[in-house]
Coordinates of all heavy atoms in Angstrom, one line a residue:
A28 N 108.4 97.1 91.6 CA 107.1 97.7 91.6 C 106.5 97.8 93.0 O 106.4 96.9 93.6 CB 106.1 96.9 90.7
V29 N 106.1 99.0 93.3 CA 105.4 99.2 94.6 C 104.0 99.2 94.5 O 103.2 99.1 95.6 CB 106.1 100.4 95.4 CG1 107.3 100.3 95.6 CG2 105.7 101.7 94.6
D30 N 103.4 99.3 93.4 CA 101.9 99.1 93.1 C 101.7 98.9 91.7 O 102.5 99.2 90.8 CB 101.2 100.5 93.5 CG 99.7 100.4 93.5 OD1 99.2 99.4 94.2 OD2 99.0 101.1 92.7
T31 N 100.6 98.1 91.4 CA 100.1 97.9 90.2 C 98.6 98.0 90.1 O 97.9 97.8 91.1 CB 100.5 96.3 89.7 OG1 99.7 95.5 90.5 CG2 101.9 96.1 89.8
F32 N 98.2 98.2 88.8 CA 96.5 98.1 88.5 C 96.3 97.6 87.2 O 97.3 97.9 86.3 CB 95.9 99.4 89.0 CG 96.3 100.7 88.1 CD1 95.7 100.9 86.9 CD2 97.3 101.5 88.7 CE1 96.0 102.1 86.1 CE2 97.7 102.7 87.9 CZ 97.1 102.9 86.6
A33 N 95.2 97.1 86.9 CA 95.0 96.5 85.6 C 94.7 97.7 84.7 O 93.9 98.5 84.8 CB 93.7 95.6 85.7
A34 N 95.4 97.7 83.6 CA 95.3 98.7 82.5 C 93.9 98.6 81.9 O 93.5 99.8 81.5 CB 96.4 98.6 81.5
A35 N 93.3 97.5 81.8 CA 92.1 97.3 81.2 C 90.9 98.0 82.2 O 89.9 98.3 81.6 CB 91.7 95.8 81.0
S36 N 91.1 98.1 83.3 CA 90.2 98.7 84.2 C 90.2 100.1 84.6 O 89.2 100.8 84.8 CB 90.2 97.9 85.6 OG 90.0 96.7 85.5
Y37 N 91.5 100.7 84.5 CA 91.7 102.0 85.1 C 92.5 102.8 83.9 O 93.5 102.2 83.5 CB 92.5 102.2 86.4 CG 91.6 101.4 87.5 CD1 91.8 100.2 87.9 CD2 90.5 102.2 88.1 CE1 91.2 99.8 88.9 CE2 89.8 101.7 89.1 CZ 90.0 100.4 89.5 OH 89.4 99.7 90.4
R38 N 92.2 104.0 83.6 CA 92.9 104.8 82.5 C 93.9 105.7 83.2 O 95.0 106.0 82.6 CB 91.9 105.6 81.7 CG 92.5 106.5 80.7 CD 93.2 105.9 79.6 NE 92.2 105.0 78.9 CZ 92.4 103.9 78.3 NH1 93.7 103.5 78.2 NH2 91.4 103.2 77.8
S39 N 93.7 106.2 84.4 CA 94.6 107.0 85.1 C 94.6 107.0 86.4 O 93.7 106.3 87.0 CB 94.3 108.5 84.7 OG 93.0 108.9 85.1
A40 N 95.7 107.4 87.1 CA 95.8 107.3 88.6 C 96.6 108.5 89.2 O 97.4 109.0 88.5 CB 96.3 106.1 89.1
K41 N 96.4 108.9 90.4 CA 97.2 109.9 91.1 C 97.7 109.1 92.3 O 96.9 108.5 93.1 CB 96.3 110.9 91.5 CG 96.9 112.0 92.3 CD 96.0 113.3 92.7 CE 96.7 114.1 93.7 NZ 95.7 115.2 94.0
Y42 N 99.0 109.3 92.6 CA 99.7 108.7 93.9 C 100.2 109.7 94.7 O 100.8 110.7 94.2 CB 100.8 107.8 93.3 CG 100.3 106.6 92.8 CD1 100.4 106.4 91.4 CD2 100.2 105.4 93.4 CE1 100.0 105.3 90.8 CE2 99.9 104.1 92.8 CZ 99.8 104.0 91.5 OH 99.5 102.9 90.9
V43 N 100.2 109.4 95.9 CA 101.1 110.2 96.9 C 102.0 109.0 97.4 O 101.5 108.1 98.0 CB 100.4 110.8 98.0 CG1 101.3 111.4 99.1 CG2 99.3 111.9 97.5
I44 N 103.3 109.2 97.4 CA 104.4 108.2 97.8 C 105.2 108.8 98.9 O 105.8 110.0 98.6 CB 105.2 107.8 96.7 CG1 104.4 107.3 95.5 CG2 106.2 106.8 97.0 CD1 104.1 108.2 94.4
Q45 N 105.3 108.1 100.0 CA 106.0 108.5 101.1 C 107.2 107.4 101.2 O 106.8 106.3 101.5 CB 105.3 108.7 102.5 CG 106.2 109.0 103.6 CD 105.4 109.1 104.9 OE1 104.5 110.1 105.0 NE2 105.4 108.2 105.6
I46 N 108.4 107.9 101.4 CA 109.5 107.1 101.5 C 110.3 107.4 102.8 O 110.5 108.6 103.0 CB 110.5 107.0 100.3 CG1 109.9 106.7 99.0 CG2 111.8 106.1 100.6 CD1 110.8 107.0 97.9
T47 N 110.5 106.5 103.8 CA 111.2 106.6 105.0 C 112.4 105.7 104.9 O 112.3 104.6 104.7 CB 110.3 106.2 106.2 OG1 109.1 107.0 106.2 CG2 110.9 106.5 107.5
Q48 N 113.5 106.4 105.1 CA 114.8 105.7 105.2 C 115.6 106.1 106.4 O 116.3 107.2 106.3 CB 115.6 105.8 103.9 CG 116.7 104.9 103.6 CD 117.1 104.9 102.2 OE1 117.5 106.1 101.7 NE2 117.3 103.8 101.6
G49 N 115.5 105.4 107.5 CA 116.2 105.8 108.8 C 115.4 107.1 109.2 O 114.2 107.1 109.3
S50 N 116.2 108.2 109.3 CA 115.6 109.5 109.8 C 115.5 110.5 108.6 O 115.3 111.7 108.7 CB 116.3 110.1 110.9 OG 117.7 110.5 110.5
N51 N 115.5 110.0 107.4 CA 115.4 110.7 106.1 C 114.0 110.4 105.5 O 113.5 109.2 105.5 CB 116.5 110.3 105.2 CG 117.8 110.8 105.8 OD1 118.0 111.8 106.4 ND2 118.9 109.9 105.5
Y52 N 113.4 111.4 104.9 CA 112.0 111.3 104.4 C 111.8 112.0 103.0 O 112.4 112.9 102.7 CB 111.0 111.9 105.4 CG 111.2 111.4 106.8 CD1 111.9 112.1 107.7 CD2 110.5 110.2 107.1 CE1 112.0 111.6 108.9 CE2 110.7 109.7 108.4 CZ 111.5 110.4 109.4 OH 111.6 109.9 110.7
Q53 N 111.0 111.4 102.2 CA 110.7 112.0 100.9 C 109.2 111.7 100.7 O 108.6 110.6 101.1 CB 111.4 111.3 99.8 CG 111.0 111.7 98.4 CD 111.9 111.1 97.4 OE1 113.1 110.8 97.5 NE2 111.2 110.7 96.4
V54 N 108.5 112.8 100.2 CA 107.1 112.5 99.7 C 107.0 113.1 98.4 O 107.5 114.2 98.1 CB 106.1 113.1 100.7 CG1 106.3 114.8 100.8 CG2 104.7 112.8 100.4
S55 N 106.2 112.5 97.5 CA 106.1 112.9 96.1 C 104.6 112.5 95.7 O 104.0 111.7 96.3 CB 106.9 111.9 95.2 OG 108.3 112.2 95.4
E56 N 104.2 113.5 94.8 CA 102.8 113.3 94.1 C 103.1 113.0 92.6 O 103.9 113.8 92.1 CB 102.1 114.6 94.5 CG 100.5 114.4 94.1 CD 99.6 115.4 94.9 OE1 100.2 116.5 95.1 OE2 98.4 115.2 95.0
I57 N 102.4 112.1 92.1 CA 102.6 111.7 90.7 C 101.4 111.4 90.1 O 100.5 110.8 90.8 CB 103.7 110.6 90.6 CG1 104.1 110.3 89.3 CG2 103.3 109.4 91.3 CD1 105.3 109.3 89.2
M58 N 101.2 111.7 88.8 CA 100.0 111.3 88.0 C 100.5 110.4 86.8 O 101.6 110.7 86.4 CB 99.2 112.4 87.5 CG 98.5 113.3 88.7 SD 97.6 114.7 88.2 CE 96.2 113.7 87.6
V59 N 99.8 109.4 86.5 CA 100.0 108.5 85.4 C 98.7 108.4 84.5 O 97.6 108.3 85.0 CB 100.5 107.2 85.9 CG1 99.7 106.4 86.8 CG2 100.9 106.3 84.6
I60 N 98.9 108.3 83.2 CA 97.9 107.9 82.3 C 98.4 107.0 81.3 O 99.6 107.1 81.0 CB 97.1 109.2 81.6 CG1 96.0 108.9 81.0 CG2 98.2 109.9 80.7 CD1 95.0 110.1 80.5
H61 N 97.6 106.1 80.7 CA 98.1 105.2 79.6 C 97.2 105.2 78.5 O 96.0 105.4 78.6 CB 98.5 103.8 80.3 CG 97.1 103.1 80.6 ND1 96.5 102.3 79.7 CD2 96.4 103.1 81.8 CE1 95.4 101.8 80.2 NE2 95.4 102.3 81.6
N62 N 97.7 104.5 77.4 CA 96.9 104.3 76.2 C 96.8 102.8 76.0 O 96.3 102.4 74.9 CB 97.6 105.0 75.0 CG 98.9 104.5 74.6 OD1 99.4 103.6 75.2 ND2 99.5 105.2 73.7
G63 N 97.1 102.0 76.9 CA 97.0 100.6 76.8 C 98.4 100.0 76.4 O 98.6 98.7 76.5
T64 N 99.4 100.8 75.9 CA 100.6 100.3 75.5 C 101.7 101.1 76.2 O 102.7 100.3 76.8 CB 100.9 100.6 74.0 OG1 99.8 100.0 73.3 CG2 102.1 100.0 73.5
T65 N 101.7 102.3 76.5 CA 102.6 103.1 77.2 C 102.0 104.0 78.1 O 100.9 104.3 78.1 CB 103.5 104.0 76.1 OG1 102.6 104.9 75.5 CG2 104.3 103.2 75.1
T66 N 102.8 104.4 79.1 CA 102.3 105.3 80.2 C 102.9 106.6 80.0 O 104.1 106.8 79.5 CB 102.7 104.7 81.6 OG1 104.1 104.6 81.7 CG2 102.2 103.5 81.9
T67 N 102.3 107.7 80.5 CA 102.8 109.0 80.6 C 102.7 109.4 82.0 O 101.6 109.3 82.7 CB 102.1 110.1 79.7 OG1 102.2 109.6 78.4 CG2 102.6 111.4 79.8
T68 N 103.8 110.0 82.6 CA 103.9 110.3 84.0 C 104.3 111.7 84.2 O 105.2 112.2 83.5 CB 104.9 109.3 84.7 OG1 104.5 108.0 84.3 CG2 105.0 109.5 86.2
A69 N 103.7 112.4 85.2 CA 104.1 113.7 85.7 C 104.3 113.6 87.1 O 103.2 113.4 87.9 CB 103.1 114.8 85.3
E70 N 105.5 113.9 87.7 CA 105.7 114.2 89.1 C 105.7 115.6 89.3 O 106.6 116.3 88.7 CB 107.0 113.5 89.5 CG 107.3 113.6 90.9 CD 108.6 112.9 91.4 OE1 109.4 112.4 90.6 OE2 108.9 112.9 92.6
Y71 N 104.7 116.0 90.0 CA 104.7 117.6 90.1 C 104.9 118.1 91.5 O 104.6 119.3 91.7 CB 103.3 118.1 89.5 CG 102.0 117.4 90.0 CD1 101.4 117.9 91.2 CD2 101.6 116.3 89.4 CE1 100.4 117.4 91.7 CE2 100.4 115.6 90.1 CZ 99.9 116.1 91.1 OH 98.7 115.6 91.6
A72 N 105.2 117.2 92.4 CA 105.5 117.7 93.8 C 106.4 116.7 94.3 O 106.2 115.4 94.4 CB 104.1 117.8 94.6
M73 N 107.6 117.2 94.8 CA 108.5 116.3 95.6 C 109.3 117.0 96.7 O 109.6 118.2 96.4 CB 109.5 115.8 94.6 CG 110.3 114.5 95.2 SD 111.8 115.0 96.0 CE 112.9 115.0 94.6
M74 N 109.1 116.6 97.9 CA 109.9 117.2 99.0 C 110.6 116.1 99.7 O 110.3 115.0 99.8 CB 108.9 117.9 100.0 CG 108.0 118.9 99.4 SD 107.0 119.9 100.6 CE 106.5 118.6 101.6
N75 N 111.7 116.6 100.3 CA 112.7 115.5 101.1 C 113.3 116.4 102.2 O 113.4 117.6 102.2 CB 113.6 114.8 100.2 CG 114.6 115.6 99.4 OD1 115.4 116.5 100.1 ND2 114.4 115.9 98.2
T76 N 113.7 115.5 103.2 CA 114.4 116.2 104.3 C 115.9 116.1 104.2 O 116.7 116.8 104.9 CB 113.9 115.5 105.7 OG1 114.4 114.1 105.8 CG2 112.5 115.6 105.9
N77 N 116.5 115.2 103.3 CA 117.9 115.1 103.3 C 118.3 114.5 101.9 O 119.0 113.5 102.0 CB 118.6 114.3 104.4 CG 120.0 114.4 104.6 OD1 120.6 115.4 104.1 ND2 120.5 113.4 105.2
G78 N 117.9 115.0 100.8 CA 118.3 114.6 99.5 C 117.2 113.5 99.1 O 116.4 113.1 99.8
V79 N 117.3 113.2 97.7 CA 116.3 112.4 97.0 C 116.7 110.9 97.5 O 117.8 110.4 97.3 CB 116.4 112.5 95.6 CG1 115.6 111.4 94.9 CG2 116.0 113.9 95.2
L80 N 115.6 110.3 98.0 CA 115.8 108.9 98.4 C 115.5 107.9 97.3 O 116.0 106.7 97.3 CB 114.9 108.5 99.6 CG 115.0 109.4 100.8 CD1 114.0 109.0 102.0 CD2 116.4 109.3 101.4
G81 N 114.6 108.2 96.5 CA 114.2 107.3 95.4 C 113.6 108.0 94.2 O 113.0 109.2 94.3
T82 N 113.7 107.5 93.0 CA 113.1 108.2 91.8 C 111.9 107.2 91.3 O 112.0 106.1 91.5 CB 114.1 108.3 90.6 OG1 114.7 107.0 90.3 CG2 115.3 109.2 90.9
L83 N 111.0 107.9 90.7 CA 109.7 107.3 90.5 C 109.5 107.1 88.8 O 109.9 108.1 88.1 CB 108.6 108.0 91.0 CG 108.5 108.4 92.5 CD1 107.5 109.3 92.9 CD2 108.5 107.0 93.2
A84 N 108.9 106.0 88.5 CA 108.6 105.8 87.1 C 107.4 104.9 87.0 O 107.0 104.4 88.0 CB 109.9 105.2 86.3
T85 N 106.8 104.8 85.7 CA 105.8 103.8 85.5 C 105.9 103.2 84.2 O 106.8 103.6 83.3 CB 104.4 104.6 85.5 OG1 104.5 105.5 84.4 CG2 104.1 105.3 86.8
D86 N 105.3 102.1 84.1 CA 105.3 101.3 82.8 C 104.1 100.4 82.8 O 103.3 100.4 83.7 CB 106.6 100.6 82.5 CG 106.9 99.3 83.5 OD1 105.9 98.9 84.2 OD2 108.0 98.6 83.3
I87 N 104.0 99.8 81.7 CA 102.9 98.6 81.5 C 103.7 97.3 81.3 O 104.5 97.2 80.4 CB 102.0 98.9 80.5 CG1 101.1 100.2 80.6 CG2 101.0 97.6 80.2 CD1 100.1 100.5 79.6
N88 N 103.3 96.4 82.2 CA 103.9 94.9 82.0 C 102.9 94.0 82.2 O 102.0 94.0 83.3 CB 105.0 94.9 83.2 CG 105.8 93.6 82.9 OD1 105.2 92.5 83.6 ND2 107.0 93.7 82.4
A89 N 102.7 93.0 81.3 CA 101.7 91.9 81.4 C 100.2 92.5 81.7 O 99.4 92.0 82.4 CB 102.0 90.9 82.4
G90 N 99.9 93.6 81.0 CA 98.6 94.3 81.1 C 98.2 95.1 82.4 O 97.1 95.4 82.6
N91 N 99.3 95.2 83.2 CA 99.2 96.0 84.4 C 100.1 97.3 84.4 O 101.2 97.2 83.9 CB 99.6 95.2 85.6 CG 98.8 94.1 86.0 OD1 97.5 94.3 86.0 ND2 99.1 92.9 86.1
V92 N 99.6 98.4 84.8 CA 100.3 99.6 85.0 C 101.2 99.6 86.4 O 100.5 99.0 87.3 CB 99.4 100.8 85.0 CG1 100.2 102.1 85.3 CG2 98.6 101.0 83.8
R93 N 102.5 99.7 86.3 CA 103.2 99.5 87.4 C 103.7 100.9 87.9 O 104.2 101.6 87.1 CB 104.4 98.6 87.2 CG 104.0 97.3 86.8 CD 105.1 96.2 86.7 NE 106.1 96.7 85.8 CZ 107.3 96.2 85.8 NH1 107.7 95.1 86.5 NH2 108.4 96.7 85.0
L94 N 103.7 101.1 89.3 CA 104.6 102.2 89.8 C 105.8 101.7 90.3 O 105.9 100.7 91.0 CB 103.8 102.8 91.0 CG 104.5 104.0 91.7 CD1 104.8 105.1 90.9 CD2 103.7 104.3 93.0
L95 N 106.9 102.2 89.8 CA 108.3 101.7 90.1 C 109.0 102.7 90.9 O 109.0 103.9 90.7 CB 109.1 101.4 88.9 CG 108.3 100.6 87.7 CD1 109.1 100.6 86.4 CD2 108.2 99.3 88.3
V96 N 109.9 102.3 91.8 CA 110.8 103.1 92.6 C 112.2 102.6 92.6 O 112.3 101.4 92.8 CB 110.3 103.3 94.2 CG1 111.4 104.1 94.9 CG2 108.9 103.7 94.3
T97 N 113.0 103.4 92.1 CA 114.5 103.0 92.2 C 115.1 103.8 93.2 O 115.2 105.0 93.2 CB 115.1 103.4 90.8 OG1 114.5 102.7 89.7 CG2 116.7 103.0 90.8
M98 N 115.6 103.1 94.3 CA 116.2 103.7 95.4 C 117.6 104.3 95.2 O 118.3 103.7 94.4 CB 116.2 102.7 96.6 CG 114.8 102.2 97.1 SD 113.7 103.5 97.7 CE 114.7 104.2 99.0
A99 N 118.1 105.3 95.9 CA 119.3 105.9 95.7 C 120.3 105.1 96.4 O 121.5 105.3 96.0 CB 119.1 107.4 96.2
S100 N 120.0 104.5 97.4 CA 120.9 103.6 98.2 C 120.3 102.4 98.4 O 119.0 102.2 98.4 CB 121.4 104.3 99.4 OG 120.5 104.3 100.6
A101 N 121.1 101.2 98.9 CA 120.6 100.0 99.3 C 120.1 99.9 100.7 O 119.7 98.7 101.1 CB 121.7 99.0 98.9
T102 N 120.2 100.9 101.5 CA 119.7 101.0 102.8 C 118.2 100.6 102.8 O 117.5 101.2 102.0 CB 120.1 102.3 103.4 OG1 121.3 102.6 103.3 CG2 119.6 102.3 104.9
S103 N 117.9 99.8 103.9 CA 116.4 99.5 104.0 C 115.5 100.8 104.1 O 115.8 101.7 104.7 CB 116.2 98.6 105.2 OG 114.9 98.3 105.4
A104 N 114.3 100.7 103.5 CA 113.5 101.7 103.5 C 112.0 101.2 103.6 O 111.7 100.1 103.1 CB 113.6 102.6 102.1
T105 N 111.0 102.0 104.1 CA 109.6 101.8 104.0 C 109.0 102.7 103.1 O 109.3 103.9 102.9 CB 109.0 102.0 105.4 OG1 109.7 101.2 106.4 CG2 107.5 101.8 105.5
I106 N 108.1 102.2 102.1 CA 107.4 103.0 101.2 C 105.9 102.8 101.4 O 105.4 101.7 101.3 CB 107.9 102.5 99.7 CG1 109.3 102.7 99.4 CG2 107.0 103.3 98.6 CD1 109.7 102.2 98.2
N107 N 105.2 104.0 101.6 CA 103.8 103.9 101.8 C 103.2 104.8 100.6 O 103.7 105.8 100.3 CB 103.5 104.6 103.1 CG 103.9 103.8 104.4 OD1 103.5 102.6 104.5 ND2 104.7 104.4 105.1
I108 N 102.1 104.3 100.1 CA 101.5 105.0 99.0 C 99.9 105.2 99.2 O 99.3 104.3 99.9 CB 101.6 104.2 97.6 CG1 101.0 102.9 97.7 CG2 103.2 104.1 97.3 CD1 100.8 102.3 96.2
T109 N 99.3 106.2 98.6 CA 97.9 106.1 98.4 C 97.7 106.4 96.9 O 98.4 107.1 96.3 CB 97.2 107.4 99.2 OG1 97.7 108.6 98.6 CG2 97.5 107.2 100.7
R110 N 96.6 105.7 96.4 CA 96.3 105.7 95.0 C 94.8 106.1 94.8 O 94.0 105.4 95.5 CB 96.6 104.5 94.3 CG 96.2 104.4 92.9 CD 96.4 103.2 92.2 NE 95.4 102.2 92.7 CZ 95.4 100.8 92.5 NH1 96.5 100.2 92.2 NH2 94.5 100.1 93.0
T111 N 94.6 107.0 93.9 CA 93.2 107.3 93.4 C 93.3 107.0 91.9 O 94.0 107.6 91.2 CB 92.8 108.8 93.7 OG1 92.9 109.1 95.1 CG2 91.4 109.1 93.3
A112 N 92.4 106.1 91.7 CA 92.4 105.6 90.2 C 90.9 106.0 89.5 O 89.9 106.0 90.1 CB 92.6 104.2 90.1
I113 N 91.0 106.3 88.2 CA 89.9 106.6 87.4 C 89.6 105.5 86.4 O 90.5 105.2 85.6 CB 90.0 108.0 86.9 CG1 90.2 109.0 87.9 CG2 88.7 108.2 86.0 CD1 90.4 110.4 87.3
V114 N 88.4 105.0 86.4 CA 88.0 103.9 85.4 C 88.2 104.2 84.0 O 88.1 105.4 83.5 CB 86.7 103.3 85.7 CG1 86.6 102.7 87.2 CG2 85.7 104.3 85.5
V115 N 88.3 103.3 83.2 CA 88.6 103.4 81.7 C 87.2 104.0 81.1 O 86.2 103.8 81.6 CB 88.8 102.0 81.0 CG1 88.8 102.2 79.5 CG2 90.2 101.6 81.4

């Protein structure tokens, strides 16, 4: 998980995620909303310089919404995010 927020406090969020892996880059924009049990996610913008570096997903675990990244390779990477969240 690269970010979490309390499901009881926020209903939805918008993320911009930037992944840097060596001289390769990816940026994605993703929105998430939840009903307290499950999340619904839409990734509606993704660009990269040399192929997909990571895939994005969300879930709820222990009362927190989590932003998950599964990297395409085990090479070290830096992940930067911005989040805008809307209260319940």
Side-chain angles (χ1 to χ4, degrees):
V29 295
D30 190 53
T31 63
F32 62 86
S36 298
Y37 300 97
R38 177 68 57 210
S39 61
K41 175 181 175 180
Y42 286 97
V43 176
I44 302 102
Q45 177 183 282
I46 303 172
T47 302
Q48 195 170 49
S50 60
N51 299 317
Y52 308 95
Q53 175 179 322
V54 65
S55 295
E56 194 164 20
I57 188 171
M58 294 184 73
V59 58
I60 192 166
H61 71 87
N62 63 7
T64 305
T65 59
T66 61
T67 302
T68 304
E70 182 178 3
Y71 54 91
M73 195 269 280
M74 300 184 323
N75 59 66
T76 59
N77 193 25
V79 174
L80 301 178
T82 57
L83 306 172
T85 61
D86 70 3
I87 293 183
N88 184 279
N91 292 309
V92 176
R93 303 186 304 170
L94 173 65
L95 309 168
V96 177
T97 302
M98 297 301 295
S100 81
T102 304
S103 180
T105 301
I106 299 172
N107 295 306
I108 66 164
T109 62
R110 176 183 73 199
T111 304
I113 301 174
V114 297
V115 172

